[in-house]
Amino acid sequence: MEGRRALIGAIVVATAGAVAACDTRTLPPFGQLRIHVETDAPIPAIVSRLRVDVFSDGLWIESRDVSLRDRAEWPASFTVLSSETSAARRIRVRLRAYREGALRDYRGERYVPPPPPDTPPSAEPSEPAPSGEPRLVMNGVDQTPLDEPTPEAAIDRLVGTTLREGDVHDVRVVLRIECAGTMADLAGDRTCLSRRGALVTTPDAIADADTAPSPWIARLEEARRALPPPRPGRTAPDGTPLHDDEVVVPGGVLLLGSREHGTIGTVHGKPIPATPERVFVIPPMLLDRFEYTVARYRDALRRGFTTAPPPFVNEEPGFDAVKTNGLCTFSTSPMPGADSREEMPLICVEWKTARALCLFDGGDLPTEAAWEHAATTADRPAKTAFPWGDDSPTCADAIWGRFNEPLIGAPCVARADPGGVLPVTAAPRDVTPSGVRGLGGMVSELTRDAYRPYRSGCWAGAPLWDPDCADDAHHEIVLRGGAWTMAPLSGGAIRVPSPRGGYASDGGFRCARR
Amino acid sequence: MRKLGAPLLTLTLALVLVSSVALADGEDDVERARSAFREGTELVQKAQWAEALAAFERARALRKHPVTTFDMAACERAMGHYTRARALYTEALDEHGAATEAAQRMPESLVGEARAIVGEIDRLLVRLTLTVEPPGSTLAVDGRPLLADGKELVAGLRPAGPGDPTPTGTFVVALDPGPHVLLFARRGFRDVTIARSYEAGRTDSLRLELTQMPATIRISASKPGAIVTVNGADVGPAPVNVLRPAGTYRVVVRRDGFVPYDTHLALEPGQDSSLRAELAQEKPSLFSRWWFWTIAGVVLVGATTTTYLLTRPDPERPDVDAGTLGWKVDVR
């Protein structure tokens, strides 16, 4: 009897096991796409947040915005699935990586296509009229976000596929800074993959391997290796230092412009903004440690420099704001002794002469982007307002506040002091981590670029690598950085447009070389 | 050598008294009683105590008199039967005390002598203090049961026969000095026999524990080759004799093709029990049919399958990996 009971039990167990094993009613997985998002942008300097918008069959169905300030949080991944098993679902996922705070009001999709190659540099694209569409309606409630990333500094990418029951795919998407500023065309289902300004039909995510490394990274390395050795400082025959030594400014990614530190004064009645911010890659360069000095100009003359027009001449010792050219630094002969202005910046010089002097020494005026990179970003983990950091300067930190306004005086000099520049070695705290002196104050510095608003076609269509808006025919040039005349001293993102043929007693220059 | 004391003088005195009194009653019985008494007296002088005792007993049977009883006690005493002698002396005193006529009494000298002899005999007797386990075991001394006399049991007073159950706990046995055989017995237990000689006046204590005798089961079967088990232990093929201590046992007799014989036996110590197992032919059961198990198997498989199909859980899909953001969007 015991044996029979055991036999009965064995039959039941074996039967149950066999039936369960033969039960092939396991359901296939829902159609799903796992998206792994990576970026080649510096984190958090250029990218610190990710906006994800999901569209299904053209309807906006989901939106999420997450903070990803740490490199360790990348790649970030999530899954889009369809529990609809009777039909395939076509989905689009819009990924936008951007820097914290770089937002604008959402007024509907305001797609601005990349400027065509023949776009005039001065052209400023007009924004489409806000339509308010599309809207994100969830469970009958409008949950459309109130803002969206500003397109000029965001890396915008569409990912799409069709979800079918049983299909599970993983896709790696690299949000490249090459595509920063190139808006995805949501309505046209086009997106930038790897080339600025180039939109292609959104590829099927399953087929998009997207594993190519960003070329600018290797290019930076090559450019660094190709740099010649920096020039050491020389002295004049009388032993006066020329202060013509160079420093290596490493290349990197620059967020050109500034939402916080971008406006001073007006140009023709219009405020001078430093927005929209744009992302570029600045190659490494050799940059003059100091502003171009009077002694260095005199040395160039000895070596045969003859380009006209020459800088304006101040034959009197010291400075006199009332006299014509009374604040200029060059004199026909060096001022003797304590009145020597040989080690002061060469000012009162036209842009053309300044550039010619740089070219004479094998360099050029730095581009506006290169100048801002050196002053605010190079050798730093995050962009700073001033060369030394974000702290507003004191009179000892930089050369500023030396112009006695008739009514209000000057913060950094006595009332009767005529002000003016100082030797380039003044204000040792006005120095960048790379070792460049005087980018914060002393004189605003001439750059290679013509002045164009950042919204202009020149900047909108500028390439990722080493951008410029050089236009020798344009009547305005742009100086960068603060000067001895400014009070308060503005940050490194300040842009000072100036007539090309003009000169200024608070405008100088330095040279860059690659 | 037994001490005889003063019986001759007493006997003589006891004779006169009897003669003077006998003529007053029935002459035949009295004459025969007198004749027997006279015979006894003559035999006492020849020291033929047993024959004298018999003559005195015939006389007493015809005509009871305390002197005759006294003389009987004297004979027993002379033969060393002290317990009997004490009993007869005590009886003589009782008869003397109960007599309503002077002719029926003993002379006072005999009374005093009887009392003294009773006390002397008391000091001569052997006394054994006994404890016997289990209680209720019987005791016979020299083949005779004991007589309960007050606080003690007295040996030698009763006719030959099996012993009586002993009292519970400790009791005292009075014996004549000399060799004796004590036999303790209880059904189901092994007898205990003590043969010992005791000197006059000896006292002794004894504790006895009777051991149980095993019971015997004689098991046989109606069919040859049947195997016997007792309480599950195989004791071999029937017929078989099995010895076991007292208790209850399960006896099973089996043979292939026959219904097992299964019974219980309660055994007493020393019991001899016979058991015959009548084995009945076994009818083939349903559970031994092949087609039964085939049908049962089919039904079982069908029921199992149906139950599974009705109660199995709904199929599930694989979990969706929500990635590092812990986010999964269903576009449905």
Side-chain angles (χ1 to χ4, degrees), chain A residues 277-297:
Chain A
E277 297 168 318
R278 294 184 184 273
V279 178
F280 297 102
V281 177
I282 308 303
M285 59 184 161
L286 300 171
L287 191 64
D288 288 345
R289 185 188 297 277
F290 299 98
E291 285 111 345
Y292 199 98
T293 62
V294 172
R296 187 175 173 188
Y297 176 64

Side-chain angles (χ1 to χ4, degrees), chain B residues 37-77:
Chain B
F37 186 88
R38 192 180 296 113
E39 179 183 352
T41 303
E42 289 172 359
L43 290 170
V44 164
Q45 289 175 356
K46 296 176 183 178
Q48 294 178 335
W49 304 105
E51 294 80 2
L53 177 62
F56 289 130
E57 285 174 348
R58 286 196 305 271
R60 189 169 185 265
L62 292 169
R63 185 171 180 82
K64 211 169 185 181
H65 195 277
V67 174
T68 306
T69 307
F70 182 97
D71 290 341
M72 288 170 63
C75 290
E76 292 281 17
R77 181 165 172 249

Side-chain angles (χ1 to χ4, degrees), chain A residues 297 301 304-311 352-357 359-360:
Chain A
Y297 176 64
L301 292 174
F305 179 78
T306 59
T307 303
K352 177 182 177 182
T353 306
R355 188 174 184 229
L357 284 167
L359 291 171
F360 184 75

Side-chain angles (χ1 to χ4, degrees), chain A residues 389-410:
Chain A
D390 290 316
D391 296 335
S392 295
T394 64
C395 293
D397 293 330
I399 307 304
W400 63 284
R402 292 172 59 79
F403 181 74
N404 267 303
E405 294 282 351
L407 294 176
I408 63 176

Side-chain angles (χ1 to χ4, degrees), chain A residues 72-132:
Chain A
E73 297 177 287
W74 297 80
S77 58
F78 60 96
T79 300
V80 181
L81 66 118
S82 172
S83 60
E84 172 66 57
T85 57
S86 61
R89 298 298 288 268
R90 183 170 173 273
I91 64 160
R92 287 294 178 268
V93 179
R94 185 176 189 179
L95 305 167
R96 284 178 282 184
Y98 66 100
R99 192 168 69 99
E100 182 86 41
L103 297 168
R104 66 176 185 180
D105 294 341
Y106 178 76
R107 303 175 192 172
E109 183 66 14
R110 289 177 279 170
Y111 172 66
V112 177
D118 58 351
T119 299
S122 60
E124 291 189 26
S126 57
E127 261 193 14
S131 65

